[in-house]
Structure formats: structure tokens, C-alpha cells
Amino acid sequence: MRLDLGAIAKAGTSKANQTGSWRNYKPIFHQVKCIGCGLCKIYCPEGCVTMIEKKKYTVDYTYCKGCGICAEECSSSDIEMIVEEK
Amino acid sequence: MSTTTLTAPKEQSCTLLASGHTACTGCGEALAAKLVLGAAGSDIIVTDATGCLEVFTTRFPQSSWEVPFIHSLFENSAAVASGVEVALKALGRQNEAKVIAQGGDGGTADIGLQALSGMLERGHDILYVCYDNEAYMNTGVQRSGLTPFDCMTTTSPCGELSWGNKHNKKDMPSIAAAHGIPYVATASVAFPKDIENKVKKALSITGPKYMQIHSPCPLGWRSNPQLTIKVAKLAVQTGLYPIFEMENGKVTKVRKVTTPKTPVEEYLKIQGRFAHLFKSPKGKEEIQKIQEIADRNVEKYGLA
Ligand SMILES: Cc1ncc(C[n+]2csc(CCOP(=O)(O)OP(=O)(O)O)c2C)c(N)n1
Ligand code: SF4
Ligand code: SF4
Ligand code: SF4
Ligand SMILES: [Mg+2]
């Protein structure tokens, strides 16, 4: 690798890191009791929760590190953390 | 003159901090930066001091930034941002992008304080954001000027002769405000809407602005990553992390603490960095001292 003075990296290229491989626990979005508060999406430090429709949210396991913040903060306890089996 | 676009394409504006960054699981600083960028939108140029945020977003040759980003040194984020702001003015392009400078608590309140003071003094049109995780986390949890009293870090260890950090948390917002700047605010990752409002308000004001966001660090605080938001909320509810806005040197808005008041134990006991306070009867006296810090904050800012 050559490093010129002032190293430049292209925008958004960290998406190549599939940080989902770090996960020990996995959030399951049941999509049953969801009230659409959006807290799971807002609080996710990885930015990997998305809204499919108003009361239906999903997670991109490619990046989800399994921190459990979404499950802890969910307004309707509709997200469950399970042990990840690899 | 070249007409290179200065800022990111509009359609990316919902995730301006891309996934794939390498922050620890449950990192409050990653969340805080995501929220700041989301509120600021894509027409920004950001700088950052050396520290966790810089390291976990720029694993060369990759970058998580979807907006123009410059990292130079640990101590000069505010100076680099000052240069960017002046350059934009010189090119007559200051209406194309707002400038946001960023740093950790060490990079802001200790080693970068001189550069920040210069930026505030010279009146640059910049929003400075300090991500306050209350220690030098990137190098392995050393105490900083913003580490709270009696907190255990690797350079303020606890033991027979020590309860941890001997010093009080530096009042950085007041130091910033003493420069006579128009806007100073504190915030917490527990209250994302508040962060959004404050970032938007700050960016609508011309001149230097200072914002300090309480950002739990599960690694350094020895807290459960799942509880990052709970921990942050308790810091605010107990009065240990007062949330306020200061406009032209006067406190104009505060977030009230809970009534009846939440004892500081609730906050301290879920973090390993304060675990030593619960191991001996004498620790109770120390917890009482921390309660008094919270009570003084409640009094000082009118949080009750
Ligand atoms: C001049 C200089 N001194 C020391 C360092 C080593 N260093 C890099 S990051 C860091 C700690 C950063 O702490 P803080 O600003 O609080 O950010 P955090 O990592 O906690 O987010 C230190 C000491 C450096 N890069 N440059
Ligand atoms: S477990 Fe953590 S990383 Fe995964 S989706 Fe929930 S908040 Fe995001
Ligand atoms: S936090 Fe829970 S209730 Fe709110 S949107 Fe997400 S899944 Fe639905
Ligand atoms: S050490 Fe703390 S601040 Fe740094 S990435 Fe890990 S959780 Fe975030
Ligand atoms: Mg820090």
C-alpha cells in the first residue's frame, strides 16, 4: 500500500466491513406488537435498522453487532435478543 | 474557478455515517455522531480530532463519512475547521456548506483547548461538537479533564489509597461561554430529538457554537452495551449531567430532573468504573459527595 502525503479515503467505503460477524446476540424483530415509534432505528449505533412500513422495522444483519440497544429501548418489547449460533 | 461540489449527494442524507465502522458494540459516541450528522444534513464539512470517533470511522483506506471529512491531529480539530471556514469565505462559497468541528473530551477540554479557544475567540462560523465519554478511550481509558469525580480509570486507579479520579469534572460549557459566544448547549444520546433540535438551532446561528454530548462508552465505563441509553438517561435524571442551552452567556433552557429525585446510586451502580464505591462502608461517604455534586447542579441550573 502506498501512502501519499494526506491520505484520502472514498466516502462511505466502510460498508465493506461486515461487522455483523462480531455478533454474539442477535435481535429478532417480531413485527407483531410494533407501534412504529422508530426508537430502534434512531438509537442503533450502526445505522442498520430500517423502516419497511409504518409499523414494521427490520435489521440488516450484515452490520448489526448485536448490542441489544434496540431490544432494550423498544416501546412495545417487540424485539428479542437470542444467542447467535454460528 | 473549479466547480467541484463541496458536499455529499442529497439522497444519502439519512445515513451520513455509514455502517461498517469499527466502534465497539453499543458505542455511545458512534450513536452521537450519527445523530449529529442526521440533524445537520449533507451540506456540511466536518473535521475531527484524533480519538475513537476518528479511528473507528477511518480504517484506511476506508471511511464511514458520507460528507467531506478532515482529520489532522489530536489537538487541532478547531484550528483545521477555522482554516476550512476561512477558505470557504475566501472562495465566496460560505453559503454552500456549514463547518462542524468535532473532538472527544480529551481532544476538546485538554489538548485541543487552545485551538478551540482560538476558534471561539476569532469568531469563526463553526459548530464545535465535543463527544464526551469522560476519558481518553482510544488509548485505553486514561482520565481527562472531563472525567467525573471518584471515577476509576487506568490513570486514576482505585485502591487502598485512592477512590479514583480526585478532581471534579471541568466546567467546559462555561469555559466556552466565557468567550462571549452566542450559543452553548449540552445534550445526551438518551435524547436524540433534543440533539437534533440543538444542532439545527446552532447551525442557524452565525458565529462560534459549542455543544457537548454525553456519550456512554461501554468499554471504559464497564457498562453493559445494551444499557447505553439507560446509563445516559440516568446521568441526566440524577442531575449529574445537566442538560441546558446558554444563549449569549445566559442559561435559557434546561431539561428538568425527575421528581422525586433519582439518587446517584442508580446511575453509579450499573457501571464498573464506580464499582469500588460499593465495596466498603466508607464508599457510602464518597457516594454522598457525588450526590452533592448532583444537588449542586440541580441548584445551579434550576433543574428541579
Ligand atoms: C499529540 C498526541 N498525543 C497523544 C496522542 C494519542 N492519543 C490518540 S487518541 C487519544 C485519546 C483521545 O481521547 P478523547 O479525545 O477523549 O477521545 P475518545 O477516544 O475518548 O473518543 C490519545 C491520547 C496523539 N494522537 N497525539
Ligand atoms: S442489536 Fe444493536 S446493532 Fe443490532 S440492530 Fe439492534 S441496536 Fe442496531
Ligand atoms: S422500537 Fe419497537 S415499537 Fe418502536 S418502531 Fe422499533 S420495533 Fe416498533
Ligand atoms: S472505546 Fe468506547 S468510545 Fe471508543 S469505540 Fe469503544 S465504546 Fe466507543
Ligand atoms: Mg473521550
Side-chain angles (χ1 to χ4, degrees), chain B residues 1 83-94:
Chain B
M1 193 194 297
V84 171
E85 188 253 9
V86 170
L88 285 173
K89 277 191 179 145
L91 295 168
R93 299 180 73 173
Q94 67 269 36

Side-chain angles (χ1 to χ4, degrees), chain A residues 13-14 17 41 43-44 46 65, chain B residues 19-20 23 34 59 63-64 190:
Chain A
T13 41
S14 68
N17 296 330
K41 180 175 185 251
Y43 280 136
C44 174
E46 310 308 318
K65 293 174 188 163
Chain B
S19 300
K34 182 194 94 167
R59 209 179 65 140
S63 166
S64 301

Side-chain angles (χ1 to χ4, degrees), chain B residues 223-236:
Chain B
S223 54
N224 180 342
Q226 181 155 352
L227 299 183
T228 288
I229 305 302
K230 290 264 138 45
V231 174
K233 225 173 244 179
L234 279 164
V236 175

Side-chain angles (χ1 to χ4, degrees), chain A residues 1-3 7-19 22 39-48 63 65-69 71-73 81, chain B residues 15 18-27 30-31 34-35 57 59-67 189-192 224-230 233:
Chain A
M1 187 195 302
R2 213 184 95 189
L3 273 184
I8 296 173
K10 290 262 184 318
T13 41
S14 68
K15 282 180 212 128
N17 296 330
Q18 307 200 347
T19 51
W22 299 17
L39 287 180
C40 48
K41 180 175 185 251
I42 293 167
Y43 280 136
C44 174
E46 310 308 318
C48 66
Y63 302 110
K65 293 174 188 163
C67 67
I69 291 177
E72 182 72 27
E73 300 305 321
M81 297 304 289
Chain B
T15 53
S19 300
H21 62 69
T22 54
C24 310
T25 303
C27 174
L31 171 56
K34 182 194 94 167
L35 293 168
T57 56
R59 209 179 65 140
F60 195 78
Q62 294 161 351
S63 166
S64 301
W65 300 89
E66 300 275 19
V67 294
V189 289
F191 304 103
N224 180 342
Q226 181 155 352
L227 299 183
T228 288
I229 305 302
K230 290 264 138 45
K233 225 173 244 179

Side-chain angles (χ1 to χ4, degrees), chain A residues 32-70:
Chain A
V32 176
K33 296 187 283 177
C34 176
I35 56 163
C37 70
L39 287 180
C40 48
K41 180 175 185 251
I42 293 167
Y43 280 136
C44 174
E46 310 308 318
C48 66
V49 176
T50 45
M51 184 180 82
I52 309 167
E53 52 189 74
K54 241 180 155 194
K55 294 180 182 175
K56 208 177 206 179
Y57 283 71
T58 191
V59 50
D60 185 349
Y61 290 121
T62 318
Y63 302 110
C64 166
K65 293 174 188 163
C67 67
I69 291 177
C70 54

Side-chain angles (χ1 to χ4, degrees), chain B residues 44-61:
Chain B
I44 51 174
I45 297 176
V46 297
T47 70
D48 192 17
T50 311
C52 274
L53 178 63
E54 171 260 330
V55 168
F56 70 64
T57 56
T58 59
R59 209 179 65 140
F60 195 78

Side-chain angles (χ1 to χ4, degrees), chain B residues 29 49-56 73-75 103-108 111 131 133-139 142 144:
Chain B
E29 197 171 79
T50 311
C52 274
L53 178 63
E54 171 260 330
V55 168
F56 70 64
L73 296 169
F74 189 17
E75 60 273 33
D105 49 291
T108 300
I111 192 169
Y131 298 103
N133 55 18
E134 307 193 314
Y136 293 78
M137 295 310 179
N138 189 59
T139 39
Q142 293 83 25
S144 80

